[in-house]
Amino acid sequence: MQKKVDIEDLNSIRSESNFKDYSHIKIGNNVQYLFLPRSMSDLVLIFDFASKNKLAIFPIGGGSNVLLGNVKNRVLFLDRKLPKICEINSDEVLVSANYNINSLILKLKKSNLGGLEFLATIPAHIGGIIKMNAGAFGKNISEYLKWIKVLNKKGEIEIIQKEKIEFSYRKSSIIDYILKAAFKLEIKSEEEIDSQINKFRRIREKTQPINFPNLGCIFKNPKGESAGKIIDECGLKGEKFGDAEISQKHANFIINKGNACFDDVKNLIKLIQAKVHAKTGIELELEITVLN
Ligand code: EPU
């Protein structure tokens, strides 16, 4: 008979901090089961605990585009303490899912490898970027992907070739936990890469509120349209609940101007969806993950 995994078995990797300490928008509550695994065996233990206790499992990567309330009866884990690897071989790189995209772009630059600069300044880890097929300026991460190594729900490790994954706008068919990914890159000079990074950074600084804690774009763009433009045209810029405010720079961003809480952001999201629907008939779909 299989031994039941108890919460005591996971005490050494259980987070005692409020999620706020990890969240990019600086909002968080006391999440019942939040773990910081340090190794593959810690991960297997977490998966076992979730499965034996029939709890849903939510990997939250670096925590940059999740909004968490008082989450109970779900198993969440952050990847920051897992080993980080980045192995470059000719024009390919094998990288762990917990690698920060900006650190990766700078590391690749030193080997004259580029392509991913369009993602510069996004505060995200590789795993989350692949799972949601993050993109900007007309490019998506899937264009550079070769394969991923995952831990599936049965606790087995598997390699999945890119051709077996369906990618679309901000979406992938990946359901397993990504451990590592291999990318094929473009050979570029350091100067060329720097100039690309600076170009994208300048555009973001000009058009997005990157100097305030935020969650990235809140909503997906409806086909052929910009959610930010639609929200702006509904006159919602500057609307606020507590310290959460719809950015004056880009209406698809909610910023934390101090002590915003989960309900403040949730209320703004509901307000945007209701006003946009009433005015245009469009149902805006969340790009971020909200759990409560
Ligand atoms: N616009 C407005 N008002 C606003 C915001 C935008 O009128 O408040 C207008 C802009 O002037 C522009 C158009 O809407 O004419 C499109 O705006 P933008 O270029 O900022 O692009 P977006 O569609 O709003 C998308 C991605 C961003 C990505 C940018 C740059 C989504 C949901 N958003 O924004 O991604 O950085 O393009 O490529 O796909 C994210 O995914 O978190 C994200 C921020």
Side-chain angles (χ1 to χ4, degrees), residues 203-222:
I203 299 176
R204 279 226 172 76
E205 273 167 359
K206 206 168 155 222
T207 60
Q208 300 179 359
I210 60 172
N211 295 325
F212 281 96
N214 68 73
L215 291 157
C217 282
I218 299 289
F219 299 102
K220 293 184 185 178
N221 281 344

Side-chain angles (χ1 to χ4, degrees), residues 150-173:
V150 300
L151 181 64
N152 68 25
K153 297 277 182 294
K154 290 183 235 154
E156 299 157 348
I157 291 175
E158 226 185 302
I159 288 194
I160 308 179
Q161 297 295 333
K162 179 207 178 151
E163 293 68 35
K164 295 267 153 93
I165 308 170
E166 277 171 41
F167 284 107
S168 52
Y169 167 68
R170 298 296 193 271
K171 210 169 161 185
S172 77
S173 57

Side-chain angles (χ1 to χ4, degrees), residues 135-138 169-170 204 207-208 216-217 219-221 226 228-229 232 237 249-253 287:
F137 310 109
Y169 167 68
R170 298 296 193 271
R204 279 226 172 76
T207 60
Q208 300 179 359
C217 282
F219 299 102
K220 293 184 185 178
N221 281 344
S226 157
K229 188 162 189 274
D232 190 359
K237 275 184 170 173
K249 240 185 195 178
H250 196 299
N252 199 8
F253 282 74
E287 174 172 316

Side-chain angles (χ1 to χ4, degrees), residues 224-254:
E225 302 195 57
S226 157
K229 188 162 189 274
I230 297 168
I231 301 166
D232 190 359
E233 286 170 353
C234 287
L236 293 170
K237 275 184 170 173
E239 285 284 338
K240 54 177 103 166
F241 275 96
D243 277 344
E245 185 176 308
I246 301 176
S247 166
Q248 297 279 3
K249 240 185 195 178
H250 196 299
N252 199 8
F253 282 74
I254 291 176

Side-chain angles (χ1 to χ4, degrees), residues 2-281:
Q2 273 186 308
K3 181 189 173 293
K4 188 166 167 15
V5 184
D6 294 316
I7 188 63
E8 285 74 33
D9 298 324
L10 287 100
N11 272 348
S12 66
I13 53 165
R14 194 169 181 183
S15 168
E16 288 174 9
S17 307
N18 186 298
F19 181 70
K20 184 175 180 171
D21 300 339
Y22 306 114
S23 120
H24 190 66
I25 193 172
K26 301 280 162 243
I27 293 178
N29 293 284
N30 287 310
V31 174
Q32 185 185 16
Y33 297 127
L34 178 63
F35 299 106
L36 291 161
R38 285 184 230 103
S39 63
M40 197 58 209
S41 52
D42 287 347
L43 271 180
V44 170
L45 207 57
I46 292 171
F47 273 62
D48 253 21
F49 172 74
S51 128
K52 305 243 166 69
N53 293 285
K54 299 195 167 35
L55 298 169
I57 191 156
F58 284 90
I60 48 174
S64 61
N65 74 340
V66 286
L67 179 67
L68 302 184
N70 282 311
V71 185
K72 289 203 169 58
N73 296 320
R74 295 167 197 242
V75 175
L76 272 53
F77 67 91
L78 288 152
D79 62 13
R80 61 184 59 209
K81 294 211 168 155
L82 285 166
K84 283 195 182 65
I85 68 134
C86 179
E87 293 163 10
I88 297 170
N89 188 356
S90 177
D91 62 348
E92 293 185 10
V93 64
L94 177 65
V95 63
S96 53
N98 60 346
Y99 222 87
N100 174 286
I101 182 69
N102 296 293
S103 314
L104 180 63
I105 292 169
L106 295 179
K107 177 137 186 161
L108 291 172
K109 183 180 82 165
K110 292 200 188 111
S111 299
N112 292 114
L113 292 177
L116 306 183
E117 300 83 87
F118 63 99
L119 292 169
T121 78
I122 290 183
H125 290 184
I126 293 298
I129 286 183
I130 297 171
K131 186 151 168 60
M132 70 169 300
N133 193 18
F137 310 109
K139 286 182 144 202
N140 297 312
I141 190 76
S142 56
E143 293 164 38
Y144 293 89
L145 189 69
K146 288 198 74 190
W147 50 265
I148 53 174
K149 191 182 239 190
V150 300
L151 181 64
N152 68 25
K153 297 277 182 294
K154 290 183 235 154
E156 299 157 348
I157 291 175
E158 226 185 302
I159 288 194
I160 308 179
Q161 297 295 333
K162 179 207 178 151
E163 293 68 35
K164 295 267 153 93
I165 308 170
E166 277 171 41
F167 284 107
S168 52
Y169 167 68
R170 298 296 193 271
K171 210 169 161 185
S172 77
S173 57
I174 303 166
I175 50 166
D176 302 318
Y177 178 60
I178 304 170
L179 297 167
K180 287 178 187 166
F183 295 99
K184 188 169 173 65
L185 299 144
E186 294 163 14
I187 295 166
K188 286 185 177 178
S189 69
E190 288 200 37
E191 293 72 34
E192 201 184 338
I193 295 168
D194 270 334
S195 106
Q196 289 288 96
I197 295 174
N198 292 333
K199 180 179 93 182
F200 293 128
R201 181 180 292 130
R202 274 197 299 274
I203 299 176
R204 279 226 172 76
E205 273 167 359
K206 206 168 155 222
T207 60
Q208 300 179 359
I210 60 172
N211 295 325
F212 281 96
N214 68 73
L215 291 157
C217 282
I218 299 289
F219 299 102
K220 293 184 185 178
N221 281 344
K223 215 171 175 28
E225 302 195 57
S226 157
K229 188 162 189 274
I230 297 168
I231 301 166
D232 190 359
E233 286 170 353
C234 287
L236 293 170
K237 275 184 170 173
E239 285 284 338
K240 54 177 103 166
F241 275 96
D243 277 344
E245 185 176 308
I246 301 176
S247 166
Q248 297 279 3
K249 240 185 195 178
H250 196 299
N252 199 8
F253 282 74
I254 291 176
I255 55 173
N256 180 358
K257 294 191 95 174
N259 288 309
C261 66
F262 175 81
D263 284 337
D264 294 335
V265 177
K266 195 84 194 286
N267 285 333
L268 269 184
I269 289 174
K270 280 195 206 146
L271 175 91
I272 295 170
Q273 285 176 318
K275 290 260 165 96
V276 166
H277 187 255
K279 192 164 177 208
T280 66

